[in-house]
């Protein structure tokens, strides 16, 4: 999406003017975005500032400060990864596998959208979330609130040691874009989301490998690790899980273009995968 020189911007006074500005900037869903921007502004000057930020290329969620995810309004601060709609499928799979009062861990939690949705959907879970980005940790703490604990650090490193061997559901929405494909991403992601949340290494699976390699130490017998992946990477993701001693399976949703690999730690406990 290209930026419009501010000298050519009109003061937005109606929905139609906002829509025109957004369309000129390349926003595909200009009408829907205009409605959100109008609802977020409390004055014409505030609206003009919001529209100007959007046409300059900032993600809509960073402009308005929130994203809709699993029917919830999740705060998304500038510089924090924006939760994708396809990741709602990851949440649904985790919910289906979790027992009441399950011990749940959300790694690479970003804004905490997944953890927040799981806390809302599950019966009294013990929720822990972690991310390496300080801005994401602050945002996740606001979203998750008293429903769980959020830690700052690399993958498992900041988690309490007493979680080892008793996690029922481990969700890790790891980055899986191959390094060479980062320049091909939409500018909203490429320019405004942290590189660490996008770049999965040469084949996109570097972080998944690190998560899978340690998962069996943290999962309870019968516990599951769930990660999002792409259709073309799914077979390799399953092989990563298998090499880590997990029993893998793939579940997909065509409507959301979503693919989730579920890996079960062998042993008693929980339902069969």
């Amino acid at each position: 999406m290209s930026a419009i020189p501010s000298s050519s911007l009109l003061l937005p006074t109606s929905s139609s003017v906002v829509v025109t500005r957004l369309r000129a900037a390349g926003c595909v869903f200009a009408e829907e975005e205009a409605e959100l921007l109008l609802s977020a502004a409390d004055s014409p000057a505030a609206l003009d500032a919001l529209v100007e930020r959007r046409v300059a290329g900032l993600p809509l969620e960073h402009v308005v400060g929130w994203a809709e995810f699993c029917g919830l309004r999740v705060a998304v601060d500038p510089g924090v990864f924006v939760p994708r709609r396809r990741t709602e499928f990851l949440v649904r799979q985790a919910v289906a596998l979790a027992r009441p009062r399950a011990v749940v861990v959300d790694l690479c939690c970003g804004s905490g959208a997944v953890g927040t949705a799981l806390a809302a959907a599950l019966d009294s879970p013990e929720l822990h979330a972690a991310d390496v980005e300080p801005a994401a940790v602050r945002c996740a703490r606001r979203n998750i609130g008293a429903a769980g604990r959020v830690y700052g650090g690399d993958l498992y490193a900041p988690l309490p040691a007493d979680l080892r061997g008793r996690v029922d559901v481990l969700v890790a929405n790891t980055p899986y874009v191959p390094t060479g494909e980062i320049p091909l991403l939409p500018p909203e992601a490429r320019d405004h989301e942290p590189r660490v949340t996008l770049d999965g290494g040469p084949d996109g699976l570097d972080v998944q490998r690190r998560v899978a390699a340690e998962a069996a130490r943290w999962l309870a017998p019968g516990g599951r690790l769930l990660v999002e992946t792409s259709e073309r990477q799914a077979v390799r993701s399953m092989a990563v899980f298998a090499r880590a001693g997990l029993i893998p399976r793939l579940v997909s949703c065509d409507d959301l273009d979503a693919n989730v690999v579920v890996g079960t730690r062998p042993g008693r406990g929980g339902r069969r995968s």
Side-chain angles (χ1 to χ4, degrees), residues 190-234:
R190 186 182 67 232
D191 298 337
H192 298 285
E193 293 179 324
R195 176 85 175 221
V196 70
T197 68
L198 304 170
D199 193 342
D203 66 352
L205 303 182
D206 279 2
V207 185
Q208 285 188 18
R209 289 189 184 91
R210 294 180 57 212
V211 170
E214 297 293 324
R217 296 177 57 198
W218 295 85
L219 291 172
R224 279 81 168 208
L225 166 64
L226 298 89
V227 303
E228 184 177 284
T229 191
S230 69
E231 182 179 6
R232 65 188 174 90
Q233 293 167 309

Side-chain angles (χ1 to χ4, degrees), residues 39-126:
S39 66
D42 57 6
S43 70
L47 178 59
D48 186 63
L50 293 176
V51 175
E52 196 162 347
R53 293 178 68 204
R54 179 60 182 138
V55 300
L58 271 71
L60 177 67
E61 295 82 2
H62 288 169
V63 174
V64 299
W66 60 273
E68 182 180 349
F69 185 78
C70 291
L72 304 172
R73 181 175 287 198
V74 176
V76 182
D77 295 335
V80 174
F81 182 81
V82 175
R84 283 23 173 192
R85 183 58 57 87
R86 63 175 172 271
T87 306
E88 294 182 358
F89 184 66
L90 178 69
V91 172
R92 294 205 298 265
Q93 298 308 305
V95 169
L97 293 171
R99 59 178 175 79
R101 300 185 181 278
V103 178
V104 178
V105 170
D106 176 15
L107 291 185
C108 305
C109 71
S111 66
V114 170
T116 300
L118 290 173
L122 296 177
D123 180 5
S124 303
E126 178 185 336

Side-chain angles (χ1 to χ4, degrees), residues 200-271:
D203 66 352
L205 303 182
D206 279 2
V207 185
Q208 285 188 18
R209 289 189 184 91
R210 294 180 57 212
V211 170
E214 297 293 324
R217 296 177 57 198
W218 295 85
L219 291 172
R224 279 81 168 208
L225 166 64
L226 298 89
V227 303
E228 184 177 284
T229 191
S230 69
E231 182 179 6
R232 65 188 174 90
Q233 293 167 309
V235 171
R236 283 177 290 164
S237 293
M238 293 177 70
V240 167
F241 276 39
R243 285 193 293 271
L246 305 175
I247 303 169
R249 67 184 176 95
L250 175 67
V251 287
S252 301
C253 175
D254 291 337
D255 290 344
L256 293 175
D257 189 27
N259 299 275
V260 171
V261 175
V262 181
T264 302
R265 177 188 166 187
R268 294 184 178 179
R271 288 172 286 179

